[in-house]
Amino acid sequence: MLADTWQLMQLYWKIDWREGSGQSKWRILATVAGFAMLLVIGAGAAGVGYGASFLNQLDPPYRPDPGIVPGVFLTLVMIGVLVTGLNQAVKSLFLSGDLDRLMVAPIHTRSVMIAKLLSRMPTNLILLLLIAAPALIAYGIGIRAGLVYYLLGGILLLAAPLFGLSLGAIIAMLLVRLLPVNRLNELLAAAYAVLGLTIGLAFQLPRFVAGNEVYESVTVDALGSIVQTVNRLPFPPFWAGRGLLALDQGRFDSTGLAGLGIFLMMTVGFFVVLIFTADRLYLSGWLKTQSAGTKRRRLEDNHGFIGRGSLPVAMAWKDWLLRFRDPRQLVNVLGSGLFAVILGGLAIFRGSGGEESLMSAATQGEFDAPGIFGFFSAGFSPGLIMAGWAMFVGFIILSNTASYALALEGGSFPLLKVAPVRARDVWLAKVWSILLPYAIIFVVVLLFTRLVVQYDLRWIPYAIGVGLVIGLGLITANVSAGFRFANLSWTDPRRMMTSSGGFLAFLLTILFSIPAGILAFLPFGLAQIWPAWSIPLALAGLALLIAGTWGWNLLMRRWAESAWNKLPV
Amino acid sequence: MPEPVLEAKRLTRLFGDFKAVDDVSFTLNPGEIVGFLGPNGAGKTTTIKLLTGLLEPSAGEARIAGFDIQTSPLEAKAHIGYVPDTPNLYGKLRAGEYLRFVGRLYKVPPNLVEERMRLMLDIFELTDVAGNFLDTFSHGMQQKVAITGAFLHDPTIVFMDEPTVGLDPRSARLIKDLMIRNRDRGKTIFFSTHILEIAQSMCDRVIIINKGQIIADARVDEMRRLRGDQSLEDIFLELTGSATEAEEDVAAMIKELENAG
């Protein structure tokens, strides 16, 4: 059994190595850049670790138990491996292409399971150790720990991922009994995206919601009780942390030996139990995925829009059905939108519209300026800020969707290519399918802001006109970049476009937004100086913007058309 | 003599220095089933992709129903039905939605789409699951949906790349019947296959490609008559130079197994 496991692991490592080493120069460069970033993060983690050592100088009740800090590091490693390991376990244990062959080969299921789980571990382990090890070492330096601390700390760090990995594997094996494995994979990917967004928002929200004074007082008041609660938590990694420091100080007592021993025994024991018992769970789970059936649904009579109307309508309907039915795609769309709405909104209404908010400053007329300076002060008028925000929300929600519009076709792209439709028709259909929801979001958000902020309603038609035209230009840029850099063989919805395509889409967005923004702002600013010419100025500005956007769209459409035949089929 | 449905003239496709398709020329006529045979990597799929407009040729041209696939693609493609070697369908569409979308792409009137779709789904015994997402379908079921989609607009010529792979015997038989009935209606079927028994029993004509070049193009009965009534399999193996090689390889393998045993 061991020989089979080892052989399989070697095979997977070889495949991984070949996949990693045979890449283009850009990919290698990106890997090097990623590694450099990891080193920076590692250095940051070391800073945190060293900084944490100063917590020991605090007075009670703010001083944590010294063993808690390494315990927290171990916990983070475990959670990190559990989170990433769950998805990896589902993919490697149930969705690998080689499982059919392995399951009929004279190899024990246990060998397959262990090889699948452990072969993917080194990458995770290296990533986590690059972050956790510097923190643990720096903390050790900070508290002047001895050699025992580093030796045992290293062993604990190596053992911690096993716990997360085992737990992740068992959860995965149980989940495949409840859900079809492909559906589970989609839901996990969606859950990770939500988790990422939640973490992102969690770091940002307090900054906006609470004023600094309130935030500080809340933090200081709560700190003591939080520290005491954490100190009392019956959590094995915390026992291990305490044990680590106790043994380093030469205390071979219940805290030292038992704390460390229980953690190591639990971790290794859990993995051993997994090896010796879970192979049956794995085999029966895998067999279930092979025979999983779904409820039979007859052909529906309702045609929907998909078979009727024009090509753009059919294609837009089809695309949005695909997005709404795939949780990963849905999170892509809704997640970025949520992020945009919350962050954009809070930036403007910061501190509940308190003194720090841009909105408050604008409505108080702080930016009123005489003569020619009125031109610039117009940029801070509430109407313009709200229109800009509405446009930002609409675009951020749909920018990825626009960039991925063609890649959404995936392996079905040949269907479009052999059909009697032009690249131009498909491009146009994709643009319309994004522009319409953008228009709805933009107008709804803009009108909603009028309920919250009082501004001159006479500018609404101009704002809507300008917002729609600029939105069109931004969407065509992103859709066209998606045509040029589509990854039609995607399996992960976050990689539907090549990374260089994402960067170029961003550049094009900037390239269009700056002149378009200036053109949109020009009549608005000039009208502050010559109010009598407001309407002609607005019309002239809109006409110029439409003409410019028309030229831009032509350019973008031709670029997309030229990419059509270069896409791999 | 009827106008040819397809004319391939000196088609060539290079991938870097490698000539995947090398100066290929042939014509296909209305009302014939033509098998496209060749060893793995011979250039079958690339040729089909060139003929359907999925790939641009490095040289040469292809005309479908008189329209150049490169210069008049819309007119040419309106005559084409295509079944790829792997039925990559939109996983999150229901079978009915997929077929209605295909109908829309080919501008088939909705009532006609409904009529044809229901008929074919019924024949393929998919009506009861046609409301399910396509990613819950087996490979064979997806293949049947792809085939239904290819015939939905009643094309003049249908290109099928390994159409019977993954199908159960009943479905394979249905597809063969579908091909024969369409041939009898004056349609042209051009399909690649490795199953030479199917090619021998169904095809009016076979074209054999090897290393990117056409090495044989003849009616099946004529080809067999000229070769002393040999089976198509023997003819294929002889022409592609793999008959002796295959026999020697098998003999060597058996010997090795016996020695090891």
Side-chain angles (χ1 to χ4, degrees), chain A residues 14-42:
Chain A
K14 197 180 278 180
I15 292 168
D16 285 349
W17 173 252
R18 284 183 183 165
E19 278 178 358
S21 59
Q23 302 293 349
S24 67
K25 283 179 188 169
W26 285 107
R27 188 71 181 260
I28 293 167
L29 204 67
T31 310
V32 171
F35 190 72
M37 192 178 279
L38 267 178
L39 287 180
V40 172
I41 295 172

Side-chain angles (χ1 to χ4, degrees), chain B residues 18-111:
Chain B
F18 175 65
K19 263 188 185 172
V21 175
D22 186 5
D23 204 19
V24 162
S25 300
F26 59 87
T27 58
L28 301 180
N29 299 310
E32 63 177 357
I33 297 176
V34 180
F36 195 39
L37 316 178
N40 290 331
K44 297 187 297 295
T45 299
T46 307
T47 305
I48 290 179
K49 286 183 175 176
L50 290 171
L51 296 173
T52 50
L54 280 171
L55 280 177
E56 281 181 323
S58 307
E61 61 173 43
R63 302 179 78 84
I64 308 283
F67 299 105
D68 189 308
I69 192 79
Q70 293 303 323
T71 56
S72 308
L74 298 194
E75 293 81 356
K77 286 174 179 177
H79 290 274
I80 292 175
Y82 172 59
V83 181
D85 51 351
T86 315
N88 281 315
L89 311 176
Y90 302 107
K92 294 294 175 196
L93 284 192
R94 303 180 200 286
E97 289 168 345
Y98 170 78
L99 292 170
R100 285 170 184 137
F101 179 66
V102 172
R104 178 62 203 79
L105 284 177
Y106 286 87
K107 298 190 177 78
V108 185
N111 56 337

